Amino acid sequence: MDKNFIIGLVLIMLMLIGYQILVPKPVEPTPVEQTQTSTPKATATLSAPTDSSDIASQISDTVASITPQDLVIETQDTRVVFTNKGGVLKEVLLKKYKTFDQKPLYLISENHNNFQIDFPTPTGDVKLTNAYFSTDSKDKQLSEKDSAVITYKTTLKNNQVVEQTYVVRGSGYVIDYSIKSNGTVPGDKSAVINWKNDLLQLENDMHKNREVVTINYYTDELLSLPTSPASNEAEKTADPVKWFTIKHKYFLAGLISEKHPFNNVALSADVNPNDSVIVKTMGVSAGIPMAAIQKGEANMQFFLGPNDYHLVDKVKAENFDQNVYLGYAFLKPINKFFLVPLFNFLEKFVSNYGLLIILLVLFVKTLLTPLTYKSYISMAKMKLLAPELEQIRNQNPDDMAKQQQDQMKLYQQVGVSPLSGCIPVLATMPILFSLFFLFPNLIELRQQSFLWAPDLSTYDSFIKLPFTVPFGVGNHISLFTVLMTASSIGYAYYNNQITPTQPGPVNMKVLGYIMPLMFMFVLNSFPAGLTFYYFVSNIVTIAQQLLIKRFVNEDKIRAILDENRRKNANGEKKQTKFQKYLEKSLQAAEEAKKKQAELEKRAKKK
């Protein structure tokens, strides 16, 4: 493997190592004490704290006598259940998705969700979730273009009326929500939303789920609650929050309030590592200004659906699309404006996502063919210069400075830049990095099978191990990762046959075989779609170079090098910027050598 390709691999490896370092390490959890009469955490459910004396004193007798009643709205995409107890969302079923074990996917589930509002009144706060609301709305099945308006009302003491309104559309995952009141509470107070949501296991790898679930919130920038698979986390912000989302790996449950942002927001994530049902319990506490509620301006939106870039990008909230992580700032444009549109364009013609990935590789590799060709020509030139480079090393085996100086002279004579092969390789690095971040966040790959892999959005567990290997390897062997490694080693072997040995303390050819093995451990638990892409990419790259080799005449390249040598010797050829740089470097080296010789000569005379 040539030096330039190694540089690229080292850069990727450094990025992966940096990622591992930056991700918070798991903290040993505090044991959960349980008595014989307590409910185990795995089956525990959320419930709103009830203060019967508070409710009885603040809510009118008429409304308090209403019995619990559910209201069901069916849309093309969801089944939404409301309850008159608190006038809140009770359940949200996403009809087009299933859990990893093919069960119905509830983003909000009864007994695992608590949406509570502490509502200020002139005589004290009321927990609206414990109050009963009345409504005239009925169960409804919506067609794609229909919508339903559900209004819940309750009357508190002092004739203070609270009204909550929901607008559910026949398709999509946005539900409009507003709350208003005729009260006279000081406008500087806030009604406080307390939302607790048990995140049920939707994907196959519980540990990986606990690493990635979080709460995103947007002030003037996107922020996230730190994630840890084994420890609890909490965070507060005094900055106004325009929206927040409780984020699964591929799904979101969020609330948006741009006109009157939330205040005094507090976030929490509680985890019991021994729980086999609940990934984490996420909590958000957020204030809604009473001034907005009393003016009828507290208008919000729920987003309860898949974290699909094309869906979240259409949500009318500032930078809501950032819920789909597309990589670092310098990589995001590549994913946003090139790879994601290309992926979705190919989706229109290909329904099998394994074949789609192959087409994606072919398109990207075809686009990068000029760079691949340039890199190959550079390697061919270096191969032809190998005997002369070896002769230079043999002439001064113990003088590295002299070797480098003579090598620079040779490069100047034949008009070759040793960096010309590095630049094309580095130019492809942003795409490799972008794919590294894109594939783990593509919901399109979720539960899409190909060959032996049942789900391209997670690893293919071709062999189950009776033990767990640390450092993210897991208790399985991914066959796509093994194939990727084998193809990388094959590519290294092929390159080593056409690349001269580079001087230095490290044998770069040997390193070319070691690096793929290191990547095998790093990527073993990454999505099968990603490792399959890298495998196909390696195969196509080898095929490209074999094809290019058939059209490259080494005798013509040798003739070009000899012609450059002749022209440079006669001063006929105009120097390139690199050659000018080499000439200045050589002159500086010669001057430094002369000065050093003079100093040594004077020292001897003394």
Side-chain angles (χ1 to χ4, degrees), residues 379-590:
M379 287 191 295
K381 290 179 179 179
M382 295 299 293
K383 179 184 177 182
L384 293 175
L385 292 176
E388 293 181 69
L389 293 172
E390 183 65 26
Q391 184 179 359
I392 289 172
R393 287 193 291 270
N394 292 335
Q395 287 175 350
N396 300 281
D398 300 323
D399 191 345
M400 291 296 296
K402 178 61 176 173
Q403 287 183 29
Q404 292 177 358
Q405 188 176 352
D406 291 343
Q407 286 176 2
M408 291 170 71
K409 284 182 180 179
L410 176 61
Y411 294 145
Q412 185 186 25
Q413 290 170 2
V414 298
V416 170
S417 169
L419 299 177
S420 60
C422 179
I423 294 174
V425 173
L426 292 179
T428 64
M429 289 297 109
I431 291 180
L432 292 177
F433 285 148
S434 298
L435 290 165
F436 178 80
F437 290 110
L438 177 64
F439 273 84
N441 293 291
L442 273 179
I443 193 173
E444 288 89 344
L445 296 179
R446 185 177 185 269
Q447 296 183 357
Q448 296 292 334
S449 62
F450 182 66
L451 298 178
W452 56 84
D455 187 347
L456 288 172
S457 71
T458 186
Y459 54 81
D460 60 301
S461 184
F462 189 75
I463 298 176
K464 276 283 187 181
L465 301 176
F467 51 87
T468 298
V469 181
F471 308 111
V473 177
N475 61 347
H476 64 278
I477 294 177
S478 165
L479 183 55
F480 277 135
T481 305
V482 172
L483 290 175
M484 178 201 71
T485 304
S487 64
S488 297
I489 292 174
Y491 180 51
Y493 175 80
Y494 170 76
N495 264 0
N496 286 344
Q497 307 312 304
I498 62 174
T499 306
T501 302
Q502 299 289 333
V506 179
N507 189 327
M508 303 301 283
K509 290 188 175 182
V510 174
L511 188 60
Y513 298 123
I514 296 175
M515 292 292 289
L517 294 174
M518 295 174 64
F519 275 106
M520 182 176 70
F521 289 100
V522 172
L523 297 178
N524 190 58
S525 292
F526 273 67
L530 177 65
T531 51
F532 178 61
Y533 180 97
Y534 287 155
F535 163 64
V536 176
S537 180
N538 287 337
I539 298 300
V540 173
T541 301
I542 294 173
Q544 271 187 323
Q545 294 208 357
L546 289 173
L547 185 62
I548 291 171
K549 183 180 180 180
R550 297 189 62 179
F551 292 95
V552 172
N553 189 321
E554 290 190 358
D555 292 335
K556 289 184 178 180
I557 295 177
R558 189 186 303 277
I560 292 172
L561 294 178
D562 292 339
E563 180 66 14
N564 288 340
R565 197 193 307 263
R566 185 187 66 77
K567 288 182 177 180
N568 284 323
N570 297 332
E572 299 175 15
K573 186 175 176 65
K574 185 178 179 181
Q575 287 185 322
T576 63
K577 290 183 178 180
F578 181 76
Q579 287 176 312
K580 291 178 181 178
Y581 167 77
L582 283 179
E583 186 176 6
K584 289 181 180 179
S585 300
L586 289 171
Q587 290 175 353
E590 288 289 350

Side-chain angles (χ1 to χ4, degrees), residues 49-56 127 130:
T50 303
D51 187 338
S52 58
S53 61
D54 176 57
I55 296 297
K127 297 183 184 302
N130 296 329

